[in-house]
Amino acid sequence: MNSLNIKLSGKFNGKLSGKLSLIMCGMLASLQPALAETAGKTYLNPAVGYHMFGSESGVDDSEALVIGGEYVISPKFGAEISYLYSNPDAKVGSIDVDVSQYTLDGLYYTPEIGNWQPFLNAGVGHGAFDVGSVDAKETQLNLGLGSRYHFNEKWSARLQAKVINSLDDERWDSLVTAGVSYAFGGKSKAAPLVLLDGDGDAVLDENDQCPSTPSGVHVDTVGCAFDRDGDGVADYLDQCPDSPSLDNLDENGCAIVVAAVIEQPESIKLEVKFANNSAEIPETAKAEIKAVADLMTQFPNANVEIAGHSDSSGNADYNKTLSQRRADAVRDTIVNEYGVEATRVTAVGYGEEQPIADNNTKEGRLENRRVIAEISYK
């Protein structure tokens, strides 16, 4: 710089001081809810600025472009690395001067004011002045202040003012910048933990699977009203809380009584699966036999013949005897267990005499091994 006869003075422009005062007053004007800095957040800080040199520097003031990267170490401290380029004219000869500055700053975030986050900065830098074949370099210290206005978590506006001291030339410069910043990373402030129990059943909403249970209703561990008969109707609404069946229930948890259709069937096929060479009735057939007994009770004028049939496997006489034994077993159950008069129930074994399917196939033989309740009416 000495080769250009550029002598930078230590005078700091009075007009700069006035500008800085106006800027900082504007930055402190908002009183909206704050978005404080959070550790781990990184800002990309592009900006435009005005680079001002001492009044005796021999270099005109100039616009400047700045790009910086800012990392938030904690809600109080951050660090920024930045690059500045400006292109002032030398006052003598109107020669272009390319100015580059690389700066590393430490930041101190003061308490936020509304959406404004004021900060102070101090740092060290490297400056280069390039004029044709002459290239002067210097070490710099800087001190400044600024503020960021948060539009939201990602976007903000940033204003900053610095004074810059050259350790080599004992010169003072100044810089004012304005830019828009983009943030990424970091974590937002955690909202205060609020434990909610909207229905007041002592089960917190986050665990409550029935969050609208009426007040005073006894609930289980997941906040749902007890339902001791498991019919889907809570006990406090269940007018029949001990329903033996879960089928055909109304909204009150009670069985829906369906009026019986009065009809007189002529026969009922009983699915009684006897074991091989056995006349013992399996438990699985008891419900069907009960249905015959219920019909006899419903129609007092009805008589029933229990007809046993077999397939053609084996000896015909034996088959007839076996089918009679099986028919007798069903008859005895209807009379002895369900109290139907014995005179109204008869049992006949027809053996293989009345097939309804082909005895030459396995499926046909299965169809032929059957018990039929033949109903007649007086």
Side-chain angles (χ1 to χ4, degrees):
M1 290 297 288
N2 292 331
S3 63
L4 294 177
N5 195 28
I6 299 175
K7 183 67 176 176
L8 302 178
S9 72
K11 296 181 179 180
F12 187 78
N13 290 338
K15 63 177 182 180
L16 173 61
S17 177
K19 289 180 181 178
L20 294 181
S21 298
L22 291 175
I23 290 171
M24 293 312 298
C25 288
M27 290 191 296
L28 300 178
S30 173
L31 294 174
Q32 300 178 27
L35 291 172
E37 304 301 347
T38 54
K41 182 181 289 187
T42 301
Y43 286 99
L44 183 63
N45 296 326
V48 295
Y50 198 66
H51 201 176
M52 292 167 281
F53 300 90
S55 61
E56 298 178 1
S57 65
V59 176
D60 290 333
D61 298 342
S62 173
E63 295 81 6
L65 296 176
V66 181
I67 181 70
E70 175 184 349
Y71 181 76
V72 180
I73 301 170
S74 73
K76 290 293 185 183
F77 296 98
E80 181 180 20
I81 185 169
S82 63
Y83 169 76
L84 173 146
Y85 174 78
S86 65
N87 185 224
D89 291 332
K91 292 182 178 179
V92 178
S94 297
I95 302 173
D96 285 344
V97 180
D98 290 327
V99 178
S100 298
Q101 292 181 352
Y102 301 88
T103 306
L104 175 63
D105 286 345
L107 305 178
Y108 174 73
Y109 304 110
T110 64
E112 61 268 18
I113 304 173
N115 276 18
W116 288 102
Q117 174 61 76
F119 61 88
L120 304 175
N121 72 275
V124 62
H126 172 79
F129 297 81
D130 185 5
V131 185
S133 60
V134 178
D135 186 8
K137 297 179 173 60
E138 62 185 23
T139 301
Q140 301 171 334
L141 298 178
N142 74 85
L143 184 67
L145 51 80
S147 188
R148 169 177 282 111
Y149 181 84
H150 290 278
F151 299 112
N152 52 46
E153 290 283 351
K154 296 294 185 183
W155 293 98
S156 58
R158 188 173 190 258
L159 304 174
Q160 188 176 18
K162 289 183 177 182
V163 290
I164 304 166
N165 176 249
S166 170
L167 297 181
D168 298 284
D169 288 349
E170 298 183 358
R171 185 190 74 251
W172 288 90
D173 298 337
S174 57
L175 176 69
V176 177
T177 60
V180 176
S181 301
Y182 178 76
F184 51 93
K187 297 181 179 179
S188 299
K189 279 187 174 180
L193 180 61
V194 179
L195 302 179
L196 300 177
D197 177 16
D199 56 6
D201 60 2
V203 179
L204 297 179
D205 288 350
E206 62 180 8
N207 300 320
D208 200 335
Q209 297 181 16
C210 302
S212 300
T213 307
S215 177
V217 172
H218 295 290
V219 299
D220 57 20
T221 55
V222 296
C224 295
F226 286 109
D227 176 17
R228 67 173 180 263
D229 58 3
D231 61 0
V233 180
D235 287 350
Y236 76 96
L237 297 173
D238 200 337
Q239 297 182 15
C240 301
D242 296 302
S243 301
S245 171
L246 303 183
D247 299 324
N248 204 28
L249 300 178
D250 61 20
E251 67 276 7
N252 297 318
C254 298
I256 298 174
V257 179
V258 179
V261 177
I262 305 300
E263 59 182 37
Q264 296 183 343
E266 296 181 356
S267 66
I268 299 176
K269 183 177 180 180
L270 303 176
E271 295 290 340
V272 182
K273 304 296 184 182
F274 290 97
N276 186 38
N277 197 27
S278 171
E280 182 177 351
I281 298 173
E283 288 296 324
T284 55
K286 292 296 181 68
E288 295 192 42
I289 296 173
K290 181 179 182 299
V292 175
D294 290 343
L295 183 142
M296 299 294 289
T297 301
Q298 183 178 6
F299 299 103
N301 62 331
N303 294 324
V304 64
E305 177 187 281
I306 305 301
H309 302 272
S310 71
D311 60 30
S312 61
S313 302
N315 182 273
D317 290 338
Y318 178 79
N319 286 340
K320 190 166 187 176
T321 301
L322 180 59
S323 66
Q324 181 65 52
R325 289 168 53 206
R326 289 171 174 173
D328 288 339
V330 174
R331 174 189 180 277
D332 292 345
T333 299
I334 293 174
V335 172
N336 297 330
E337 293 190 19
Y338 298 105
V340 178
E341 295 177 10
T343 57
R344 298 173 59 198
V345 187
T346 59
V348 179
Y350 291 96
E352 59 189 67
E353 297 173 1
Q354 299 179 8
I356 60 172
D358 187 357
N359 274 311
N360 292 320
T361 66
K362 179 179 179 182
E363 292 77 11
R365 291 191 294 273
L366 181 61
E367 289 293 320
N368 288 332
R369 295 194 298 271
R370 66 195 189 280
V371 177
I372 301 293
E374 300 287 352
I375 312 297
S376 62
Y377 302 90
K378 297 178 183 178

